[in-house]
Amino acid sequence: MSGAQERPLRADAARNRARLLDVATQVFATRGVGVPTEEIARAAGVGVGTLFRHFPTKEALLEAVMVRRLETIAARAAQLPAESAPAETFFDCFRLVVEQSAGKSEFAQALAAAGVDAHAALQESSAAIRARLAELLAGAQRAGAVRPELGLPELIALLVGTTTTMEHLGNDVSARERIFAVVFDGLRPR
């Protein structure tokens, strides 16, 4: 091994990194991306130097949080088919993607303002999610649970639009459920 970046993280360093990501995810989701990194370090119980060793800039932290969120969506979506029938799996995945994507546009805007191409950083995770969505869509269509004319581009547009709608609703759980009911009803064949 020639460089420090090639060595695996020590156990305590790995725990610190994971804790920072957990705390940053929670803080950014509840208070927005404008929260100073010092507050995130303090909330995680580490010094700001530790935060900057793992994430040299706030943008690097934002990017890591976004990548982690997409990886979590991809991993959870991969588990869904084992848990239920194709129709249920499709609608569960739709709900998962919408719920886990809240605030994504704020992250992307903050990264773009700093000159970071969020789409490039998220390309691998996004491709995995798109592939899973295509599989789940096809399975739900074969089961007769989703309109046969719906394609992946339309599905992704509906996911983006539904996510934006949910962000406008805030924490109104009953309104969010009504939106899911309307969208899901529209996805089903007539």
Side-chain angles (χ1 to χ4, degrees):
M1 289 188 190
S2 60
Q5 292 180 349
E6 294 177 19
R7 283 187 238 132
L9 289 176
R10 293 183 335 251
D12 61 330
R15 279 192 302 274
N16 284 342
R17 186 178 195 286
R19 176 83 179 131
L20 283 163
L21 281 172
D22 289 343
V23 169
T25 299
Q26 180 63 32
V27 169
F28 290 149
T30 57
R31 296 181 45 209
V33 298
V35 176
T37 51
E38 292 79 9
E39 285 187 42
I40 292 168
R42 191 171 32 256
V46 301
V48 74
T50 299
L51 185 146
F52 285 124
R53 268 193 300 282
H54 291 286
F55 309 101
T57 64
K58 184 173 184 179
E59 291 75 25
L61 178 60
L62 286 168
E63 185 177 317
V65 168
M66 283 186 72
V67 167
R68 186 180 201 210
R69 286 172 78 178
L70 283 180
E71 288 172 347
T72 300
I73 292 170
R76 182 71 185 115
Q79 294 170 343
L80 288 173
E83 298 172 3
S84 55
E88 252 183 88
T89 299
F90 172 82
F91 290 109
D92 288 347
C93 188
F94 190 104
R95 181 182 292 272
L96 170 76
V97 170
V98 168
E99 289 173 347
Q100 293 297 312
S101 296
K104 183 181 170 192
S105 61
E106 185 182 9
F107 280 77
Q109 289 170 0
L111 289 170
V116 177
D117 183 0
H119 295 292
L122 305 173
Q123 195 169 19
E124 187 177 324
S125 299
S126 295
I129 293 170
R130 275 192 305 279
R132 176 64 58 196
L133 286 170
E135 291 171 17
L136 296 178
L137 175 61
Q141 287 171 324
R142 281 191 302 274
V146 173
R147 292 169 174 252
E149 70 274 14
L150 185 73
L152 185 61
E154 294 91 0
L155 174 60
I156 291 171
L158 284 168
L159 285 163
V160 170
T162 305
T163 299
T164 302
T165 299
M166 296 301 186
E167 288 175 356
H168 285 282
L169 292 174
N171 293 326
D172 186 340
V173 176
S174 57
R176 293 170 67 87
E177 287 306 313
R178 285 191 300 274
I179 294 298
F180 276 126
V182 168
V183 172
F184 290 173
D185 187 50
L187 287 167
R188 292 185 176 96
R190 299 213 176 259

